[in-house]
């Protein structure tokens, strides 16, 4: 695009769209045309969509780039569009009260966006935008100038490790697969829930990475494995694949080298286990997604028994950077053994929820307080769940630990595929562990005993504790069960399933014991263990609580302290929220 | 050492096995028993039950999947491994109806054996149990999915051996269940292979229900009387009545039968069954001896041939006769009677 053109970028990631981004973009186009902006300012102006730039809590986000200076508006609604066009785009005066605040800058300042870089900058449906950002140059370089072994060498030098959970060395995996006997090989890109922003914001990077991977291992066919339900990701990737095919980057005789590489989609259903690589292969083959036994490993015998490399979409997205900039360059980011960056969805009780990319090794403190802007309502941080449902809970005392493969493994957690949930003093740790175990129980494929029945028994025991029926012996039973599950389950799901319990029990033993010995939930979450009562000395007899109570459990005459009948109370907490004088006690 | 062999040590004893042999197979060859619930020698590896774990390099590994590597040291029953095995069996039992006393498979159940071995009277891990209603209307297979331990053998045998694929896994997590598509009634070939491989009482033969369990029966090795194939068959017999048909893996049938052999034996004791020849006398069928009957047939055949020639006679034989019997029959017709009018019910 010409330098003096006016750019308007509307976030149309999942969150941007959900917040009404489509309509905002339509109105921008409409007003730009109706006001005759191009004619009036004598410059090109075409509003475009971009992928997620991470700061999802303030969507719809809109960038207006005028004379090289970028202004970002937050929480843009359709009725704000006309004024932005008139005052800012035409008259050149940004509307200060609508622009992003300081937190937007601090949210981005500590991040290191190499993979997410183009997301939120380029139009994900335009291959020209991608090419303008050096897109497909890495693939061209790899395929026309490098031997497959050299490509693998660069990936090994980079130190890149899998971003899908296992953290296995990517170059090493490719080397083994390349060396595995067989003419027919496959490359598979595993596009999971957390990869959706990548697929929506910069789909070409995934395709380019898979293409280079296919070339490196000697495959002629690649699969983009994705849940059918991720409509926007599927749509953007399909458009990107079609464009790449038109330009000859996918198909026969790529870059005139005689290298053929086809790519096709394979759709999974909504099951967590579909992301596990051997279950994924079963799914591609048209069978029920249930993990296979290993050996044989996929690199030797994967899809239809052929050597297969499976990598996460984020792993593949790093490949064009590594080939383009060199493995050496990449290996300078991160720590000694964990190289590069990691994309996370930061959520929970943190101020700035969203999608972040940090260099490996960044301390949790910086993530939560620097990027995340601290805890909502200045409450106390309790812990951070990292690595998805079967990750571990990191307590406040470990805030200065760096986020990398080694440190997380040491505390019984995993980097996982990139979820990070922040809990504060109002979250009950037993309840949190129960939530994750229940999820894993539902998502277990049901094949092996320790996982299928173990997750059930563990969630039952956690439920028992949250209901105030727990006994100390239950804790020993759970530890014993955790040992069986972790050591004997067939796949990673069952093996990591005890993590939420083990790590939380390890770091929050007192909270477990409070539930069991004192029958109290310190965070005031477990309804069976809390009682609401009126503090007579603070009660002003205003009657608000009485009106709020849906169970008619509160009585009180005017000027008399009110009383809650514990028999009738359903523990909904309506009175607690209604009282203006903090006269309701929750204990 | 031969090139294609590897030497490993199992429980302190050295052995050489061909490359690619699993630890389970190697141990079995040495007479070392490792418990299994999902593994079946005729089916591909499943890796579902996890009770065949052994210790290799301090780590628990399933022996049905682990392949022998040169120098491997394997311990099949350390206290650590036995503890894990016990807990796995405990978990299975925590989701199993405790009704061995009325179960068809009591005394012949692989799960019961392990419960006995680990002396699990009440599981340590306790909780909800799957409750299903039995509702299959088919006449052959009783499916009690509460007793199913999801070993997957039935799914595999139906797919890999029988090539039918009538059943598969459905649902996820604790609710996972083996069933026909859309949980309809089973409507398949009813070969009964699935019953044959089921380690528990989840799949049993309906015609045999309540007629006798392992300790009450006499077993008789014989040849299936149903057709001319001559399958080896094992009958469970109670008071001179065949109550169940099975196939042993160490016979020519390798454990497999068809629907007729498996379920089609009620004719043996049927009151409708003919046990002597009948001759029509004065319009009534009257029991007769074999000599009398054969004499009569010979006499009448001769008469017909003399009066109208051999081609006035035709012979139809049965698929339930053996090859040899059928050979003799056509010989009788061609060489004895002198006609080519001979056919067979299975010739279509
Ligand atoms: C239960 C389970 C779910 C998984 N889900 C995903 C997923 O959604 N995306 C993913 O890339 N890897 C997932 N994995 C990890 C994959 O099995 C595999 O290790 C990964 O795709 C390899 O790619 P990488 O080396 O690039 O990380 C999952 C693993 C397990 C055990
Ligand atoms: S560990 Fe769980 S998800 Fe994995 S194979 Fe076993 S039952 Fe399935
Ligand atoms: S009886 Fe035979 S065809 Fe029917 S489900 Fe069992 S194995 Fe399959
Ligand atoms: S029905 Fe029997 S053979 Fe089939 S999975 Fe269940 S226990 Fe195994």
């Amino acid at each position: 695009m010409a330098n003096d053109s006016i750019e308007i970028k509307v976030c149309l990631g999942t969150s941007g769209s959900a917040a009404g981004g489509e309509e905002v973009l339509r109105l921008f186009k409409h007003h730009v045309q109706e006001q005759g902006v191009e004619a009036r300012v004598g410059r090109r102006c075409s509003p475009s969509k971009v992928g997620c730039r991470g700061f999802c809590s303030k969507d719809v986000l809109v960038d207006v780039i005028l004379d090289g200076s970028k202004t970002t508006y937050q929480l843009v609604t359709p009725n704000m569009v006309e004024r932005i066009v008139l005052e800012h785009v035409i008259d050149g005066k940004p509307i200060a009260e609508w622009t992003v605040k300081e937190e937007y800058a601090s949210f981005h300042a500590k991040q290191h966006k190499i993979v997410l870089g183009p997301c939120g900058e380029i139009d994900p449906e335009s291959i020209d935008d991608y090419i303008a950002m050096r897109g497909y140059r890495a693939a061209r370089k790899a395929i026309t100038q490098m031997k497959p072994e050299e490509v693998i060498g660069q990936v090994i030098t980079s130190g890149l490790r899998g971003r899908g959970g296992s953290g296995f060395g990517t170059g090493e995996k490719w080397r083994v697969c390349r060396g595995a006997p067989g003419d027919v090989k496959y490359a598979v890109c595993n596009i999971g829930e957390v990869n959706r922003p990548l697929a929506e914001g910069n789909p070409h990077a995934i395709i380019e990475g898979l293409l280079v991977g296919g070339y490196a291992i000697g495959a002629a066919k690649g699969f983009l494995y994705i849940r059918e339900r991720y409509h926007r990701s599927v749509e953007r990737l399909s458009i990107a694949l079609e464009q790449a095919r038109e330009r000859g980057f996918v198909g026969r005789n790529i870059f005139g080298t005689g290298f053929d590489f086809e790519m096709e989609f394979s759709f999974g259903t909504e099951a967590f286990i579909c992301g596990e690589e051997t279950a994924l292969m079963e799914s591609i083959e048209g069978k029920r997604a249930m993990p296979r036994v290993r050996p044989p490993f996929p690199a030797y015998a994967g899809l239809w028994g052929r050597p297969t490399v499976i990598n996460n979409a984020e792993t593949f997205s790093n490949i064009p950077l590594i080939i383009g900039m060199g493995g050496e360059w990449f290996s300078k980011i991160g720590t000694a053994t964990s190289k590069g960056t990691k994309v996370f969805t930061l959520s929970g009780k943190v101020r700035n929820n969203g999608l972040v990319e940090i260099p490996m090794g960044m301390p949790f403190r910086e993530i939560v307080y620097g990027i995340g802007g601290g805890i909502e309502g200045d409450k106390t941080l309790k812990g951070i769940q990292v690595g998805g449902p079967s990750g571990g809970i990191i307590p406040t005392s470990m805030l200065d630990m760096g986020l990398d493969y080694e440190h997380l493994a040491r505390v019984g957690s995993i980097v996982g595929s990139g979820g990070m949930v922040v809990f504060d003093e109002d979250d009950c740790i037993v309840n949190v562990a129960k939530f994750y175990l229940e999820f894993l129980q539902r998502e277990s494929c049901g094949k092996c005993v320790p996982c299928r029945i173990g997750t059930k028994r563990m969630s039952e025991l956690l439920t028992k504790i949250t209901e105030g029926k727990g006994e100390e012996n239950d804790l020993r039973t759970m530890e014993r069960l955790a040992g069986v599950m972790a050591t004997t389950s067939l796949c990673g799901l069952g093996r990591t399933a005890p993590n939420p319990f083990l790590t939380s029990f390890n770091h929050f033993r007192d909270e477990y014991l409070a539930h069991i010995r004192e029958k109290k939930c310190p965070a005031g979450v477990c309804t069976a263990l809390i009682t609401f009562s009126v503090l007579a000395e603070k009660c002003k007899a205003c009657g608000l609580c009485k009106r709020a109570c849906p169970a008619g459990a509160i009585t009180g005459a005017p000027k008399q302290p009110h009383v809650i009948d514990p028999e009738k109370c359903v523990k909904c907490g309506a009175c607690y929220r209604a009282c203006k004088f903090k006269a309701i006690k929750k204990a | 050492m031969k090139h294609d062999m590897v030497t490993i040590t199992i429980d302190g004893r050295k052995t050489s096995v061909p490359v690619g042999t699993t630890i389970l197979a190697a141990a079995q060859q040495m007479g070392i028993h490792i418990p299994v619930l999902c593994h079946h020698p005729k089916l591909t590896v499943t890796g579902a039950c996890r009770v065949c774990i052994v210790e290799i390099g301090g780590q628990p590994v399933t022996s049905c999947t682990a392949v022998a590597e040169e120098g491997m040291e394997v311990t099949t029953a350390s206290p650590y491994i036995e503890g894990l095995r016990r807990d796995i069996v405990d978990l299975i039992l925590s989701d199993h109806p405790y009704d061995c006393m009325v179960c068809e498979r009591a005394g012949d159940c692989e799960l019961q054996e392990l419960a006995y071995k680990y002396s699990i009277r009440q599981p340590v891990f306790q909780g909800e149990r799957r409750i299903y209603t039995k509702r299959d209307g088919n006449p052959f297979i009783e499916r009690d999915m509460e007793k199913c331990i999801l070993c997957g053998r039935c799914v595999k045998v139906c797919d890999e051996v029988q090539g039918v694929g009538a059943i598969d896994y459905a649902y996820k997590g604790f609710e996972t269940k083996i069933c026909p598509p859309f949980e309809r009634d089973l409507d398949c070939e009813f070969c009964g292979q699935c019953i044959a491989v089921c380690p528990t009482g989840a799949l049993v033969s309906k015609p045999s229900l309540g007629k006798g369990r392992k300790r009450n029966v006499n077993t008789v090795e014989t040849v299936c009387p149903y057709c001319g194939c001559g399958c080896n068959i094992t009958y469970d017999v109670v008071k001179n009545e065949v109550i169940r048909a099975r196939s042993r893996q160490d016979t020519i049938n390798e454990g497999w039968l068809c629907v007729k052999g498996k379920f089609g034996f009620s004719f043996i004791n049927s009151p409708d069954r003919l046990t002597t020849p009948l001759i029509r006398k004065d319009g009534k069928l009257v029991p007769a001896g074999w000599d009398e009957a054969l004499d009569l047939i010979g006499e009448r055949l001769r008469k017909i041939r003399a009066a109208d020639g051999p081609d006035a006679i035709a012979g139809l034989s049965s698929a339930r006769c053996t090859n040899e019997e059928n050979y003799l029959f056509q010989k009788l017709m061609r060489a004895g009677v002198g006609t080519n009018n001979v056919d067979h019910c299975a010739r279509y």
Side-chain angles (χ1 to χ4, degrees):
Chain A
M1 260 173 246
N3 235 354
D4 61 350
S5 68
I6 303 168
E7 291 179 56
I8 301 173
K9 298 177 174 179
V10 181
C11 172
L12 279 192
T14 295
S15 160
S17 299
E22 309 268 1
E23 182 63 5
V24 169
L25 175 62
R26 194 186 67 77
L27 285 171
F28 266 111
K29 286 183 174 157
H30 170 78
H31 288 298
V32 163
Q33 209 184 18
E34 194 179 78
Q35 301 293 335
V37 171
E38 296 195 344
R40 275 164 79 171
V41 299
R43 296 194 252 188
R44 289 208 47 205
C45 176
S46 54
S48 61
K49 60 180 154 315
V50 293
C52 179
R53 76 281 303 280
F55 205 63
C56 304
S57 50
K58 293 291 192 303
D59 264 317
V60 178
L61 291 159
V62 176
D63 287 341
V64 175
I65 303 160
L66 193 66
D67 299 326
S69 123
K70 175 156 95 182
T71 309
T72 305
Y73 292 101
Q74 66 179 22
L75 300 169
V76 177
T77 54
N79 53 16
M80 293 157 72
V81 175
E82 187 170 8
R83 196 175 146 201
I84 297 176
V85 171
L86 288 175
E87 294 185 20
H88 188 171
V89 180
I90 296 178
D91 292 343
K93 283 183 239 128
I95 305 161
E97 72 261 34
W98 288 351
T99 58
V100 287
K101 306 295 169 266
E102 182 196 330
E103 69 214 0
Y104 186 75
S106 59
F107 177 75
H108 286 108
K110 303 234 168 191
Q111 295 193 48
H112 193 99
K113 293 200 176 191
I114 59 172
V115 171
L116 288 180
C119 300
E121 294 295 333
I122 64 171
D123 180 346
E125 291 176 16
S126 158
I127 195 169
D128 290 316
D129 270 25
Y130 183 64
I131 290 173
M133 296 195 74
R134 309 176 65 84
Y136 289 104
R137 275 206 219 171
R140 183 182 297 274
K141 177 173 162 189
I143 296 170
T144 60
Q145 297 166 29
M146 296 166 78
K147 290 204 191 77
E149 289 76 13
E150 289 170 329
V151 174
I152 293 174
Q154 283 301 312
V155 178
I156 291 177
T157 308
S158 76
L160 175 66
R161 292 167 65 175
R163 302 297 195 235
S166 56
F168 195 83
T170 306
E172 181 58 20
K173 199 191 253 183
W174 291 12
R175 194 184 61 75
V176 172
C177 187
R178 174 152 193 93
D183 303 334
V184 178
K185 294 181 184 176
Y186 297 106
V188 180
C189 179
N190 189 353
I191 306 163
E193 173 89 44
V194 285
N195 302 133
R196 287 165 74 180
L198 281 175
E200 289 167 17
N202 194 12
H204 283 287
I206 296 176
I207 289 174
E208 187 177 0
L210 180 56
L211 174 64
V212 173
Y215 172 75
I217 63 164
K221 178 93 179 237
F223 287 92
L224 295 159
Y225 184 83
I226 187 167
R227 311 294 186 283
E228 194 160 16
R229 188 177 66 83
Y230 303 164
H231 299 299
R232 196 181 316 279
S233 304
V234 172
E235 187 189 320
R236 300 248 164 102
L237 277 165
S238 319
I239 294 171
L241 179 57
E242 217 30 65
Q243 291 171 339
R245 202 174 269 135
E246 273 166 25
R247 303 287 170 108
F249 301 150
V250 171
R252 300 193 75 83
N253 193 19
I254 298 168
F255 302 124
T257 56
F259 170 60
D260 301 335
F261 193 71
E262 252 317 318
M263 248 181 236
E264 74 177 52
F265 282 93
S266 179
F267 296 109
T269 52
E270 195 50 36
F272 184 56
I273 197 63
C274 286
E276 196 281 335
E277 58 186 14
T278 59
L280 179 154
M281 294 190 299
E282 291 281 292
S283 171
I284 294 184
E285 291 181 17
K287 302 179 206 144
R288 175 182 161 104
M290 279 178 127
R292 297 178 182 173
V293 295
R294 271 164 289 215
F297 289 92
Y300 292 103
L303 269 181
W304 294 288
R306 313 287 194 169
T308 303
V309 150
I310 297 155
N311 276 122
N312 172 261
E314 187 184 337
T315 313
F316 275 127
S317 296
N318 274 296
I319 297 297
L321 294 162
I322 291 170
I323 299 302
M325 314 280 279
E328 198 70 45
W329 167 82
F330 188 88
S331 72
K332 295 208 169 70
I333 309 168
T335 70
T337 50
S338 300
K339 303 295 187 190
T341 62
K342 180 78 195 89
V343 176
F344 275 97
T345 45
L346 186 59
S347 62
K349 301 293 179 58
V350 70
R351 270 204 190 87
N352 307 331
N353 273 254
L355 185 71
V356 305
E357 180 177 353
I358 52 150
M360 286 281 187
M362 180 182 262
F364 282 94
R365 187 183 299 284
E366 244 174 279
I367 302 172
V368 175
Y369 290 96
I371 299 172
I375 309 301
E376 257 173 16
D378 287 316
K379 301 241 175 171
T380 315
L381 170 73
K382 182 178 245 170
I384 308 160
Q385 166 87 7
V386 211
S390 54
I393 298 169
I394 311 290
T396 315
S397 59
M398 294 188 178
L399 266 188
D400 291 310
M401 186 176 82
L403 189 166
D404 56 47
Y405 295 103
E406 280 66 34
H407 280 106
L408 284 176
R410 224 171 290 154
V411 297
S413 183
I414 48 174
V415 172
S417 49
M420 196 183 292
V421 189
V422 176
F423 298 107
D424 71 6
E425 57 192 281
D426 293 337
D427 293 304
C428 165
I429 216 74
V430 186
N431 197 51
V432 165
K434 167 177 165 256
F435 171 84
Y436 287 117
L437 256 304
E438 282 177 349
F439 172 84
L440 293 163
Q441 188 279 115
R442 283 195 307 274
E443 293 300 326
S444 156
C445 84
K447 183 170 180 177
C448 71
V449 174
C451 172
R452 180 183 73 245
I453 308 179
T455 51
K456 178 72 177 176
R457 297 291 168 255
M458 193 170 270
S459 31
E460 285 169 339
L461 286 165
L462 288 165
T463 305
K464 189 175 164 198
I465 295 174
T466 60
E467 287 173 348
K469 299 175 193 151
E471 300 155 43
E472 276 182 57
N473 195 35
D474 292 337
L475 295 171
R476 281 187 288 279
T477 306
M478 278 199 283
E479 282 186 298
R480 174 167 165 186
L481 178 56
V484 179
M485 291 162 69
T487 51
T488 67
S489 292
L490 170 60
C491 86
L493 192 149
R495 285 178 175 260
T496 54
N499 283 350
F501 161 67
L502 284 176
T503 54
S504 65
F505 182 53
N506 225 344
H507 302 306
F508 301 89
R509 203 165 284 250
D510 290 347
E511 203 169 329
Y512 275 87
L513 289 175
H515 282 76
I516 292 170
R517 288 187 188 152
E518 292 136 45
K519 306 291 174 207
K520 287 280 165 220
C521 173
V525 172
C526 302
T527 46
L529 301 181
I530 46 175
T531 46
F532 289 92
S533 55
V534 178
L535 297 167
E537 66 279 13
K538 286 194 180 169
C539 177
K540 301 273 193 280
C542 70
L544 273 178
C545 58
K546 202 164 122 183
R547 263 169 273 149
C549 178
I554 305 180
T555 49
K559 302 207 177 120
Q560 289 292 313
H562 285 33
V563 181
I564 302 178
D565 179 353
E567 293 293 312
K568 288 189 182 163
C569 173
V570 294
K571 302 180 181 178
C572 67
C575 54
Y576 185 77
R577 289 187 296 273
C579 181
K580 294 202 166 68
F581 309 103
K582 295 204 158 91
I584 307 272
K585 187 176 151 205
K586 177 164 93 170
Chain B
M1 187 191 71
K2 273 210 278 162
H3 189 59
D4 47 0
M5 300 288 279
V6 286
T7 302
I8 59 171
T9 311
I10 303 184
D11 293 343
R13 283 160 57 196
K14 270 199 171 23
T15 186
S16 279
V17 288
V19 170
T21 307
T22 64
I23 299 299
L24 179 65
Q28 282 169 341
Q29 278 161 30
M30 294 165 79
I32 296 173
H33 177 74
I34 298 175
V36 296
L37 283 172
C38 70
H39 180 266
H40 189 280
K42 302 281 185 206
L43 303 172
T44 55
V45 177
T46 305
C49 74
R50 321 306 286 167
V51 300
C52 73
I53 44 170
V54 294
E55 209 172 320
I56 302 175
Q59 291 299 317
V61 183
T62 46
S63 59
C64 68
T65 58
V67 174
E69 283 169 30
E70 185 59 39
M72 229 177 211
E73 303 242 353
V74 182
T75 311
T76 62
S78 62
Y80 172 52
I81 289 297
E82 287 287 33
L84 289 174
R85 267 187 208 145
R86 189 222 155 273
D87 282 359
I88 294 169
V89 176
D90 186 296
L91 279 169
I92 299 176
L93 292 170
S94 76
D95 180 32
H96 200 81
Y98 265 57
D99 67 353
C100 300
M101 36 304 234
V102 292
C103 182
E104 284 293 315
R105 291 289 298 274
D108 180 30
C109 167
E110 296 173 43
L111 178 61
Q112 196 183 40
E113 272 317 289
L114 287 182
Y116 174 76
K117 173 170 181 188
Y118 294 107
S119 183
I120 304 171
R121 184 157 212 208
Q122 267 227 310
V124 169
F125 307 111
Q126 298 213 0
E128 192 192 314
R129 187 166 79 64
R130 292 162 300 155
I131 304 292
Y132 299 127
T133 36
K134 281 189 257 178
R135 50 155 215 207
D136 254 275
N138 81 73
F140 300 118
I141 301 178
E142 175 94 347
R143 300 166 63 243
D144 183 352
M145 289 299 110
E146 289 178 18
K147 290 182 184 166
C148 170
I149 61 168
L150 287 147
C151 70
R153 286 184 190 173
C154 56
V155 175
K156 288 206 154 166
V157 81
C158 190
D159 177 32
E160 296 174 4
V161 174
Q162 201 63 17
V164 171
I167 41 175
D168 206 339
Y169 294 83
Y171 307 107
K172 294 186 288 188
F174 191 65
E175 312 290 323
T176 309
K177 182 179 184 184
I178 310 268
C179 57
F182 309 109
E183 288 206 70
R184 287 192 295 240
D185 276 5
L186 189 61
D187 182 11
C188 60
E189 307 208 332
F190 296 113
C191 62
Q193 295 336 1
C194 50
I195 300 179
V197 295
C198 182
T200 71
L203 300 176
V204 293
S205 156
K206 271 191 189 170
S208 315
L209 283 181
K211 294 197 172 157
R213 299 194 284 197
K214 194 176 180 190
R215 57 159 291 167
N216 311 113
V217 300
N218 294 319
T219 58
V220 176
E221 301 298 331
T222 183
V223 171
C224 178
Y226 215 107
C227 80
C229 279
C231 289
N232 284 183
I233 203 164
T234 305
Y235 281 133
D236 284 349
V237 179
V238 174
K239 290 197 195 123
N240 211 26
E241 183 192 342
V242 172
I243 62 143
R244 192 184 297 113
R246 296 183 283 121
S247 165
R248 289 202 345 242
Q249 269 175 42
D250 56 359
T251 61
I252 192 78
N253 275 69
E254 302 186 0
W256 315 132
L257 292 174
C258 80
V259 60
K260 293 181 273 185
K262 179 81 188 168
F263 298 108
F265 51 78
S266 60
F267 72 89
I268 298 172
N269 295 80
S270 166
D272 295 339
R273 181 176 164 192
L274 293 187
T275 48
T276 93
L278 300 176
I279 294 176
R280 198 179 303 273
K281 288 178 184 162
D282 302 330
K284 264 201 187 131
L285 288 169
V286 186
W290 280 105
D291 287 343
E292 188 190 351
L294 290 172
D295 285 349
L296 179 68
I297 292 168
E299 182 197 323
R300 296 285 305 274
L301 285 177
R302 257 183 236 109
K303 265 192 195 151
I304 297 170
R305 188 172 60 173
D308 299 302
D311 283 340
I313 300 170
L316 187 65
S317 81
S318 166
R320 291 185 53 185
C321 301
T322 63
N323 265 349
E324 293 79 355
E325 287 160 345
N326 278 312
Y327 173 79
L328 289 174
F329 185 70
Q330 64 84 33
K331 191 92 178 171
L332 172 74
M333 293 307 289
R334 293 197 172 113
V337 177
T339 177
N340 284 329
N341 291 341
V342 58
D343 212 339
H344 180 282
C345 72
R347 206 204 64 161
Y348 299 116

